[in-house]
Amino acid sequence: MEETIINRVNKSGLLQLDLETMRKPGDRLFFDLAPLLFMGLALKEKDYRDYLSGHDWSLYKDKHIAIGCSADAIIPTWAYMLAASYLNPVAHTVVFGSLADLEKTLYLAQIEAMDTEEFKDTRIVIKGCSKEAVPTDAYVALMQKLQPVAKSIFFGEPCSTVPLFKKPAQPKNNS
């Protein structure tokens, strides 16, 4: 007699959500001000403005850009703003900070834009393994977004989860 294999995960009613699928497509680049520093220490305004005005900004077309400085130097705020003024018309996204900061910003925007209606009163498993690194901030933001609507939320894989949240049962009205 042949035994039928039953997929209990599919029958459990768990809805799996993979944050990696929410990763915004596109190249990510770091616009580093360090190579533009005079003697590796300071930014000379005239040289900086000349560089920016002559730079080929088409290299950043439709890309996600983080503006920062990899050197230990004091950079005035206006310098980042000026670089952003050249990047904004061509780049898809421009943020101040590291590539990790950029990734957080991109994920948080995706989560903020989520329609949570499909998750109302569902049991959700937020997938824990991914090929690309997902910022922890994204998991926290997702929890904040889904907790008000979900019945329960787990972390991990459907066959091995960590319970995170369960909506309290509503008291029965015996009127």
Side-chain angles (χ1 to χ4, degrees), residues 159-174:
C159 59
S160 173
T161 61
V162 175
L164 299 175
F165 165 78
K166 184 175 181 180
K167 195 174 271 185
Q170 297 295 322
K172 294 191 184 207
N173 191 354
N174 291 350

PDB file of all heavy atoms in Angstrom, residues 159-174:
ATOM      1  N   CYS A 159       8.069  25.237   8.606  1.00  0.00           N
ATOM      2  CA  CYS A 159       8.260  23.982   9.337  1.00  0.00           C
ATOM      3  C   CYS A 159       9.001  24.191  10.660  1.00  0.00           C
ATOM      4  O   CYS A 159       9.113  23.274  11.466  1.00  0.00           O
ATOM      5  CB  CYS A 159       9.010  22.982   8.461  1.00  0.00           C
ATOM      6  SG  CYS A 159      10.624  23.584   7.945  1.00  0.00           S
ATOM      7  N   SER A 160       9.529  25.378  10.901  1.00  0.00           N
ATOM      8  CA  SER A 160      10.305  25.646  12.110  1.00  0.00           C
ATOM      9  C   SER A 160      10.251  27.135  12.404  1.00  0.00           C
ATOM     10  O   SER A 160      11.068  27.904  11.910  1.00  0.00           O
ATOM     11  CB  SER A 160      11.759  25.203  11.892  1.00  0.00           C
ATOM     12  OG  SER A 160      12.550  25.605  12.976  1.00  0.00           O
ATOM     13  N   THR A 161       9.289  27.560  13.206  1.00  0.00           N
ATOM     14  CA  THR A 161       9.086  28.989  13.420  1.00  0.00           C
ATOM     15  C   THR A 161       9.280  29.385  14.872  1.00  0.00           C
ATOM     16  O   THR A 161       9.228  28.558  15.774  1.00  0.00           O
ATOM     17  CB  THR A 161       7.664  29.412  13.005  1.00  0.00           C
ATOM     18  OG1 THR A 161       6.725  28.695  13.811  1.00  0.00           O
ATOM     19  CG2 THR A 161       7.408  29.156  11.543  1.00  0.00           C
ATOM     20  N   VAL A 162       9.460  30.686  15.063  1.00  0.00           N
ATOM     21  CA  VAL A 162       9.502  31.286  16.393  1.00  0.00           C
ATOM     22  C   VAL A 162       8.269  32.170  16.493  1.00  0.00           C
ATOM     23  O   VAL A 162       8.120  33.119  15.724  1.00  0.00           O
ATOM     24  CB  VAL A 162      10.778  32.154  16.570  1.00  0.00           C
ATOM     25  CG1 VAL A 162      10.764  32.861  17.902  1.00  0.00           C
ATOM     26  CG2 VAL A 162      12.023  31.313  16.396  1.00  0.00           C
ATOM     27  N   PRO A 163       7.357  31.870  17.429  1.00  0.00           N
ATOM     28  CA  PRO A 163       6.171  32.725  17.561  1.00  0.00           C
ATOM     29  C   PRO A 163       6.575  34.109  18.074  1.00  0.00           C
ATOM     30  O   PRO A 163       7.383  34.228  18.988  1.00  0.00           O
ATOM     31  CB  PRO A 163       5.307  32.003  18.595  1.00  0.00           C
ATOM     32  CG  PRO A 163       6.023  30.776  18.987  1.00  0.00           C
ATOM     33  CD  PRO A 163       7.355  30.756  18.345  1.00  0.00           C
ATOM     34  N   LEU A 164       6.015  35.152  17.471  1.00  0.00           N
ATOM     35  CA  LEU A 164       6.333  36.523  17.865  1.00  0.00           C
ATOM     36  C   LEU A 164       5.133  37.275  18.407  1.00  0.00           C
ATOM     37  O   LEU A 164       5.261  38.116  19.276  1.00  0.00           O
ATOM     38  CB  LEU A 164       6.889  37.305  16.661  1.00  0.00           C
ATOM     39  CG  LEU A 164       8.168  36.766  16.040  1.00  0.00           C
ATOM     40  CD1 LEU A 164       8.512  37.567  14.791  1.00  0.00           C
ATOM     41  CD2 LEU A 164       9.311  36.803  17.023  1.00  0.00           C
ATOM     42  N   PHE A 165       3.960  36.988  17.861  1.00  0.00           N
ATOM     43  CA  PHE A 165       2.776  37.746  18.237  1.00  0.00           C
ATOM     44  C   PHE A 165       1.539  36.907  17.998  1.00  0.00           C
ATOM     45  O   PHE A 165       1.458  36.182  17.016  1.00  0.00           O
ATOM     46  CB  PHE A 165       2.686  39.027  17.388  1.00  0.00           C
ATOM     47  CG  PHE A 165       1.343  39.696  17.441  1.00  0.00           C
ATOM     48  CD1 PHE A 165       0.977  40.463  18.524  1.00  0.00           C
ATOM     49  CD2 PHE A 165       0.443  39.548  16.397  1.00  0.00           C
ATOM     50  CE1 PHE A 165      -0.266  41.068  18.571  1.00  0.00           C
ATOM     51  CE2 PHE A 165      -0.797  40.157  16.433  1.00  0.00           C
ATOM     52  CZ  PHE A 165      -1.149  40.928  17.523  1.00  0.00           C
ATOM     53  N   LYS A 166       0.602  37.007  18.933  1.00  0.00           N
ATOM     54  CA  LYS A 166      -0.694  36.360  18.750  1.00  0.00           C
ATOM     55  C   LYS A 166      -1.740  37.305  19.301  1.00  0.00           C
ATOM     56  O   LYS A 166      -1.649  37.747  20.455  1.00  0.00           O
ATOM     57  CB  LYS A 166      -0.743  35.019  19.471  1.00  0.00           C
ATOM     58  CG  LYS A 166      -2.022  34.264  19.232  1.00  0.00           C
ATOM     59  CD  LYS A 166      -1.985  32.888  19.856  1.00  0.00           C
ATOM     60  CE  LYS A 166      -3.263  32.143  19.570  1.00  0.00           C
ATOM     61  NZ  LYS A 166      -3.260  30.815  20.150  1.00  0.00           N
ATOM     62  N   LYS A 167      -2.715  37.617  18.472  1.00  0.00           N
ATOM     63  CA  LYS A 167      -3.786  38.509  18.885  1.00  0.00           C
ATOM     64  C   LYS A 167      -4.568  37.838  20.009  1.00  0.00           C
ATOM     65  O   LYS A 167      -4.913  36.657  19.897  1.00  0.00           O
ATOM     66  CB  LYS A 167      -4.704  38.793  17.695  1.00  0.00           C
ATOM     67  CG  LYS A 167      -5.617  39.970  17.910  1.00  0.00           C
ATOM     68  CD  LYS A 167      -6.382  40.281  16.654  1.00  0.00           C
ATOM     69  CE  LYS A 167      -5.567  41.257  15.837  1.00  0.00           C
ATOM     70  NZ  LYS A 167      -6.230  41.749  14.647  1.00  0.00           N
ATOM     71  N   PRO A 168      -4.840  38.546  21.086  1.00  0.00           N
ATOM     72  CA  PRO A 168      -5.594  37.942  22.184  1.00  0.00           C
ATOM     73  C   PRO A 168      -7.007  37.558  21.727  1.00  0.00           C
ATOM     74  O   PRO A 168      -7.611  38.250  20.914  1.00  0.00           O
ATOM     75  CB  PRO A 168      -5.660  39.026  23.256  1.00  0.00           C
ATOM     76  CG  PRO A 168      -4.913  40.201  22.742  1.00  0.00           C
ATOM     77  CD  PRO A 168      -4.476  39.916  21.346  1.00  0.00           C
ATOM     78  N   ALA A 169      -7.477  36.450  22.258  1.00  0.00           N
ATOM     79  CA  ALA A 169      -8.833  35.991  21.918  1.00  0.00           C
ATOM     80  C   ALA A 169      -9.828  36.984  22.466  1.00  0.00           C
ATOM     81  O   ALA A 169      -9.665  37.538  23.574  1.00  0.00           O
ATOM     82  CB  ALA A 169      -9.072  34.616  22.501  1.00  0.00           C
ATOM     83  N   GLN A 170     -10.879  37.221  21.690  1.00  0.00           N
ATOM     84  CA  GLN A 170     -11.925  38.132  22.118  1.00  0.00           C
ATOM     85  C   GLN A 170     -12.825  37.409  23.116  1.00  0.00           C
ATOM     86  O   GLN A 170     -13.205  36.259  22.896  1.00  0.00           O
ATOM     87  CB  GLN A 170     -12.754  38.595  20.917  1.00  0.00           C
ATOM     88  CG  GLN A 170     -11.959  39.384  19.885  1.00  0.00           C
ATOM     89  CD  GLN A 170     -11.472  40.703  20.457  1.00  0.00           C
ATOM     90  OE1 GLN A 170     -12.156  41.364  21.214  1.00  0.00           O
ATOM     91  NE2 GLN A 170     -10.241  41.061  20.088  1.00  0.00           N
ATOM     92  N   PRO A 171     -13.166  38.052  24.245  1.00  0.00           N
ATOM     93  CA  PRO A 171     -14.066  37.396  25.204  1.00  0.00           C
ATOM     94  C   PRO A 171     -15.442  37.161  24.585  1.00  0.00           C
ATOM     95  O   PRO A 171     -15.909  37.976  23.799  1.00  0.00           O
ATOM     96  CB  PRO A 171     -14.146  38.383  26.366  1.00  0.00           C
ATOM     97  CG  PRO A 171     -13.660  39.685  25.839  1.00  0.00           C
ATOM     98  CD  PRO A 171     -12.809  39.399  24.635  1.00  0.00           C
ATOM     99  N   LYS A 172     -16.013  36.005  24.915  1.00  0.00           N
ATOM    100  CA  LYS A 172     -17.338  35.671  24.372  1.00  0.00           C
ATOM    101  C   LYS A 172     -18.383  36.459  25.128  1.00  0.00           C
ATOM    102  O   LYS A 172     -18.335  36.571  26.348  1.00  0.00           O
ATOM    103  CB  LYS A 172     -17.597  34.183  24.494  1.00  0.00           C
ATOM    104  CG  LYS A 172     -16.680  33.384  23.637  1.00  0.00           C
ATOM    105  CD  LYS A 172     -17.099  31.969  23.547  1.00  0.00           C
ATOM    106  CE  LYS A 172     -16.045  31.306  22.744  1.00  0.00           C
ATOM    107  NZ  LYS A 172     -16.264  30.237  22.010  1.00  0.00           N
ATOM    108  N   ASN A 173     -19.316  36.975  24.369  1.00  0.00           N
ATOM    109  CA  ASN A 173     -20.390  37.763  24.942  1.00  0.00           C
ATOM    110  C   ASN A 173     -21.557  36.821  25.224  1.00  0.00           C
ATOM    111  O   ASN A 173     -22.160  36.284  24.318  1.00  0.00           O
ATOM    112  CB  ASN A 173     -20.798  38.877  23.968  1.00  0.00           C
ATOM    113  CG  ASN A 173     -21.724  39.887  24.616  1.00  0.00           C
ATOM    114  OD1 ASN A 173     -22.147  39.702  25.754  1.00  0.00           O
ATOM    115  ND2 ASN A 173     -22.009  40.948  23.885  1.00  0.00           N
ATOM    116  N   ASN A 174     -21.874  36.606  26.505  1.00  0.00           N
ATOM    117  CA  ASN A 174     -22.952  35.678  26.894  1.00  0.00           C
ATOM    118  C   ASN A 174     -24.237  36.424  27.182  1.00  0.00           C
ATOM    119  O   ASN A 174     -24.911  36.151  28.139  1.00  0.00           O
ATOM    120  CB  ASN A 174     -22.536  34.864  28.127  1.00  0.00           C
ATOM    121  CG  ASN A 174     -21.433  33.891  27.821  1.00  0.00           C
ATOM    122  OD1 ASN A 174     -21.088  33.680  26.659  1.00  0.00           O
ATOM    123  ND2 ASN A 174     -20.863  33.321  28.862  1.00  0.00           N
TER     124      ASN A 174
END
